[in-house]
Amino acid sequence: MGTTEIFTQSDRQRFDSGELDVCQQLLGCHYIEEDEQHRFSVWAPSAQAVHLVGDFNSWDDTATPMQQQGGIYSCQVSGVKNGCNYKYLVTGADGVRRYKADPYALYSEVWPDTASRVWDITHYAWQDSIYMRKRGRRPGREDAVNIYQMHPGSWRRHDDGTAYTYRDLAQELPGYLKQMGFTHVLFMPICEHPHDGSLGYRVAGLFAPLSQMGTPQELMYLIDMLHREGIGALLDFPGAALAEGQHTLVRFDGTDLYEQPPQSGQLPLLDLQKPQVQSYLLSAACFWLRTYHLDGLCLDGTSHQSPGDTSFAKKLTATVRSIYPRALLIARGGEGDPALTLPQEEGGVGFDMVLRGDYPGEMAAYVQMDHLFRRDYHDKPVLPIDQRGDNTFLLGYPYSQVMGGRHSMIEGCFGDYWQKFATLRALYGLLYAQPGKKLLFMGDEFAQFVEWDTDGSLDWFLHEYDSHAGMSRYIARLGRILTKYRALYEDDRGDGGCSWLQRDDRDNSVLVFMRNSRPWRGRVQHIVCAVNFTPVVRYHYTVGLPGKGVLREILSSDDARYGGSGVKNAKEIAVRGESYAGFAASAEITLPPLGAAFFEYVPASRLSGTGRAKN
């Protein structure tokens, strides 16, 4: 079959210029209804020959030669059934014959087998129409975003040690995330990959979901069930490092077709200087959004080009926006570039937020030190709040913080058993209070003690212990508070969204700041957040406020329900007209030991004669 029957002239021009976002609809395996045959097409411009081998021809190396036109090899075959295994036998430019998986395969054999599988993905009846209509109306960066990052294969296991499938996850994960107050789940890469140790970041193909967890339709069912509970589904999209092996993209046609020229000691990376590889990556990103109803992607901020070069990242975000304008696009890396989250019409790259890579390490180092020395490192918790203006940041503690000898979040906190839990609650309180979107890695929500084991399961039995169950209740409460109070998420960038009430109290290791919403019906919502990183109760701690009114405590991390010692404030604290530290009014609050306290600040102008807030 000639190339003209696969690509139109326009398609070919777009493919060769790095602009085609529907490669999968043209290359790979497709059923041609009018011919009652399956068509197989593969890009291998330097190959000497390509043969199709599979179950349907008894894996005969010579039975099904493919015809080449313009670097595209293709053929049509009768009698191919859904689920058949196949590969391309590529005789490369170097004369070596290699059995290659299909770069555009929609499904694959379960590792360690490596063949591609013929698969019809059109037969799934989605039930998330209400969710899909709603998501198109809400701007992601102005929403409350509370992300649960997870590695699907090690979240939970059956009693016999086998990992959960997509269908198993669909029965438990959506309800759990809703109960815990998370708004989104971020799946670590689930594109097909042969090396479990790579965590999915070294891919064999970008269009097939991980087969060891189930079929493509079962993954659709999982995302469908998440949507029906109001939970967004995000994918950590690899798009950089390639898996090595004869069947992979490496040396596909006997040349460095997909990858950058090899460098000693480095993993093969996609070569985004090649426009056809750009089309491959663009198409994969759009495919996941279209086919699996994903709500967004976490992508590399510079897409592995030369430092500071965001040209392909701009192309990628613009292409995705053309399909789903409200897709949540998160950049990994490049947090020092303020243009990353600017819209493209303002000269930016167009991401919604940037995963701040230095934040988890800096904050983990802060809570690992003896509280007596924290006064000398007061800038560690202060600076992320001061530096909020350039980008909308995604802050939190991803998987990399709890593996490779870094300790779990709870084990990394200084002190005895009680102090560890109190410190971690204070740390999480600061995270949820400060400007920025939120991310926690699975297991952190109940303070798993051991490092993450990719081959095991989270230690769910820890919920039987009060401290861990209390941490779980605390995280759930933080999630509900985040989504309830607009002040905590509406304005994460501007100065108006956060103002310091006490920035420089390094002697007591205390921070106090106020989050402010945007005006709605003429009113601004205010949440005061105070964090004490020492094990001393601070009674009668004075904070300045803009004017008279009341403070109403809405959360104390030291509440006994969360495993604390029970230090809380009165339900209502008067804000008197006594100036303090440059503010017109002030109030005295109690700061719990190694704790965080949240208050709603209601100005006097909003109080009725009974002291209640006016509607």
Side-chain angles (χ1 to χ4, degrees), residues 259-379:
E259 69 270 27
Q260 298 176 15
Q263 298 184 29
S264 177
Q266 291 190 4
L267 295 173
L269 298 175
L270 282 174
D271 187 355
L272 291 176
Q273 301 301 319
K274 294 189 178 89
Q276 297 88 348
V277 176
Q278 292 185 11
S279 290
Y280 177 69
L281 195 57
L282 285 177
S283 298
C286 295
F287 170 81
W288 281 93
L289 292 168
R290 288 192 186 104
T291 305
Y292 289 98
H293 288 202
L294 288 172
D295 299 278
L297 302 171
C298 185
L299 304 147
D300 188 81
T302 59
S303 298
H304 294 271
Q305 295 184 306
S306 58
D309 184 356
T310 58
S311 57
F312 180 70
K314 288 181 180 179
K315 181 186 291 188
L316 185 58
T317 57
T319 302
V320 169
R321 295 284 183 218
S322 70
I323 298 166
Y324 172 30
R326 298 299 191 191
L328 198 60
L329 299 180
I330 304 167
R332 291 190 305 265
E335 57 260 40
D337 182 358
L340 277 177
T341 57
L342 280 177
Q344 292 201 8
E345 55 269 24
E346 297 178 20
V349 181
F351 286 100
D352 290 291
M353 62 191 71
V354 180
L355 179 60
R356 184 160 179 170
D358 60 343
Y359 179 83
E362 290 291 310
M363 292 307 302
Y366 179 74
V367 296
Q368 283 173 8
M369 69 180 65
D370 190 315
H371 58 82
L372 294 174
F373 304 115
R374 288 176 187 163
R375 65 181 306 281
D376 298 322
Y377 296 90
H378 193 62
D379 60 316

Side-chain angles (χ1 to χ4, degrees), residues 378 381-382 385-386 388 430 433-435 498-506 508-515 527-533 538 541-546 551 580-581 583 587-592 595-599 601:
H378 193 62
V382 165
I385 300 175
D386 283 346
R388 65 189 179 275
L430 176 62
Q434 70 188 94
C498 181
S499 53
W500 282 109
L501 303 181
Q502 179 52 268
R503 178 187 182 278
D504 300 320
D505 188 3
R506 64 176 58 247
N508 295 312
S509 295
V510 169
L511 301 85
V512 188
F513 52 91
M514 185 161 65
R515 298 298 309 277
I527 302 296
V528 172
C529 313
V531 187
N532 173 19
F533 279 114
R538 305 291 178 190
Y541 191 90
T542 305
V543 294
L545 288 155
L551 290 175
Y580 179 79
F583 292 93
E588 289 186 350
I589 61 176
T590 298
L591 297 180
F598 292 16
F599 306 85
Y601 165 57

Side-chain angles (χ1 to χ4, degrees), residues 200-220:
Y201 290 98
R202 295 168 58 186
V203 296
L206 285 176
F207 292 86
L210 194 59
S211 55
Q212 67 189 37
M213 297 196 67
T215 67
Q217 280 83 355
E218 288 171 328
L219 175 57
M220 294 176 189

